[in-house]
Amino acid sequence: MLHKRFGHDKTGLETRFDAQRIAFAPIVFQATRLLRSTGLLEAVEDRGAEGMTAAEAATKTGLSIYAATVLLECGLSADLVAYDNGKFVITTLGAFIRRDEMTAVNMEFVHEVCYLGMHKLEDALRLGEPAGLRVFGEWKTVYEALAHLPENAKSAWLRFDHFYSDAAFPAASRIVLERQPQTMLDIGCNTGKWASLCLARSPELCATLVDLPGQLEMAMQNLREKGLGDRAVPCPVDVLDPHAELPSGFDAVWMSQFLVCFSEDEVRTILRRARRALRPGGRLWILDTFWDTQRFDAAAYCLINTSPYFTAIANGNSRMYRAEDILALAREEGLELQTTHERLGIYHSLLELAPG
């Protein structure tokens, strides 16, 4: 259970230190990001066990001695570097922060997409709307804003989204295509990566892509560039509109990292319409990252702490769900679980559902 995974008995002093880590976490985060992006961690690591003074690190990176000192001492407090005889030496954590791709993806997403807007988390929770999204402009959801975000923010958002979903797509596509669907409805197609993979692997497959116009434009352009556009049909639908029907008669209806973008009431309406989109014998496939199905504490930690992004930035009313949350809503809408495929890619589970 979650409280057993994360709860640990500690001394009073340890608890007090942990509390200060949380209090200063935003500052340590920015210092850590800069230690990586300025090359300070690389410079110190390259010197090995010999270590490097702040002045030497400044010369190596082009920073002032003052800037190098401030950042390296913050790194010392965060256990990214050690300090001995006036020299800084890389630690295991510092080397990991420098090299790990997942950490880099998460940090850039938090910095570029979430950081400024998270100041409005309380407003978002009270109002039920993404109050932090206003740092980018007047949008109802981040999905409407995505095509118009500053390039750094858009790139960080897409990299974050694809880093996790893309790792699960190869295994998921093999499972879905084993049923030899001829028609597929891809709800929330984003940039078309899933449709591209399936169309390339299954020459008989035709896909209908559902998303907002900005995302559909990106997806169709990507498919056309790969010579797959003639088997893909764009279908602009605002799924937030409960009265906006989906096309029907599909062998497979697909949703990847999609339902987490909606409130429970909205999920119900989407599942209801997805059920109506299936032909007899068709399957609804849901690929997502459910925090209660994770093997490791780090995975559950990352997923749970992505929920405030949905609150403050994305839409104001969704979160990272448990698998059972989604299955309970599916049962309410007449959908029954057929099979669960666990541990696809990094964090993902694939739910196969059919009308009951």
Side-chain angles (χ1 to χ4, degrees):
M1 299 296 293
L2 180 64
H3 69 281
K4 292 182 179 179
R5 297 178 84 167
F6 292 111
H8 304 286
D9 292 331
K10 295 187 176 183
T11 68
L13 285 176
E14 288 173 331
T15 300
R16 190 177 186 86
F17 191 10
D18 284 348
Q20 307 324 305
R21 290 181 188 273
I22 293 173
F24 282 89
I27 295 172
V28 176
F29 168 82
Q30 289 293 0
T32 299
R33 190 183 66 83
L34 289 171
L35 280 163
R36 179 169 55 82
S37 65
T38 60
L40 279 171
L41 287 179
E42 179 181 2
V44 173
E45 185 175 18
D46 286 349
R47 190 62 67 87
E50 178 186 348
M52 177 178 277
T53 67
E56 290 171 332
T59 300
K60 183 74 173 178
T61 58
L63 295 171
S64 69
I65 296 175
Y66 167 79
T69 301
V70 167
L71 290 174
L72 287 167
E73 288 181 352
C74 282
L76 174 64
S77 77
D79 197 30
L80 305 180
V81 294
Y83 187 69
D84 186 36
N85 292 324
K87 293 185 176 182
F88 294 93
V89 179
I90 198 79
T91 64
T92 301
L93 178 59
F96 189 86
I97 288 285
R98 180 197 161 196
R99 296 174 182 277
D100 182 58
E101 184 182 6
M102 182 188 298
T103 303
V105 167
N106 288 342
M107 290 186 78
E108 288 310 299
F109 174 74
V110 170
H111 174 67
E112 298 289 353
V113 179
C114 304
Y115 201 85
L116 294 178
M118 206 53 63
H119 187 68
K120 296 296 184 181
L121 178 60
E122 182 177 357
D123 290 347
L125 288 165
R126 292 184 183 280
L127 298 172
E129 60 185 45
L133 185 58
R134 297 193 187 107
V135 300
F136 296 115
E138 294 299 322
W139 305 96
K140 291 183 180 179
T141 70
V142 76
Y143 314 108
E144 297 174 18
L146 184 57
H148 311 280
L149 291 179
E151 192 57 39
N152 285 349
K154 181 166 66 174
S155 296
W157 192 97
L158 290 171
R159 189 179 176 208
F160 178 81
D161 183 67
H162 290 311
F163 179 81
Y164 295 102
S165 64
D166 289 4
F169 278 179
S173 66
R174 285 192 291 271
I175 294 167
V176 172
L177 295 178
E178 279 179 2
R179 295 189 62 86
Q180 299 181 324
Q182 302 295 296
T183 57
M184 178 183 295
L185 182 65
D186 183 355
I187 305 177
C189 67
N190 207 336
T191 60
K193 284 200 171 185
W194 168 257
S196 175
L197 178 61
C198 291
L199 290 170
R201 288 186 168 183
S202 178
E204 304 302 318
L205 180 67
C206 293
T208 297
L209 311 185
V210 168
D211 215 317
L212 296 170
Q215 277 73 15
L216 282 176
E217 184 178 345
M218 287 191 292
M220 290 304 299
Q221 178 62 30
N222 289 336
L223 290 172
R224 284 191 290 266
E225 289 175 358
K226 295 178 180 179
L228 300 169
D230 59 336
R231 288 190 286 131
V233 177
C235 181
V237 175
D238 182 0
V239 294
L240 278 172
D241 179 358
H243 304 294
E245 281 299 320
L246 299 168
S248 61
F250 292 91
D251 299 321
V253 173
W254 171 263
M255 291 183 279
S256 172
Q257 296 183 180
F258 186 68
L259 294 179
V260 293
C261 304
F262 302 93
S263 70
E264 289 192 11
D265 286 341
E266 291 164 347
V267 169
R268 286 188 184 92
T269 71
I270 293 168
L271 291 173
R272 189 178 308 147
R273 286 173 283 164
R275 183 179 185 274
R276 292 199 290 262
L278 288 167
R279 70 157 182 80
R283 291 290 188 268
L284 170 62
W285 303 89
I286 298 173
L287 181 72
D288 225 315
T289 49
F290 305 111
W291 65 254
D292 60 329
T293 63
Q294 303 305 314
R295 294 175 62 192
F296 302 111
D297 290 354
Y301 179 90
C302 291
L303 294 170
I304 288 170
N305 287 295
T306 303
S307 287
Y309 147 75
F310 285 103
T311 306
I313 307 295
N315 52 48
N317 58 17
S318 75
R319 68 182 194 277
M320 301 302 294
Y321 291 106
R322 298 179 307 135
E324 184 50 41
D325 295 330
I326 297 300
L327 290 173
L329 295 172
R331 287 191 292 269
E332 290 179 21
E333 299 305 326
L335 291 159
E336 295 295 334
L337 179 66
Q338 306 300 302
T339 313
T340 300
H341 302 270
E342 299 285 5
R343 298 167 189 165
L344 304 184
I346 302 174
Y347 292 161
H348 287 74
S349 301
L350 179 62
L351 308 180
E352 178 185 356
L353 301 104

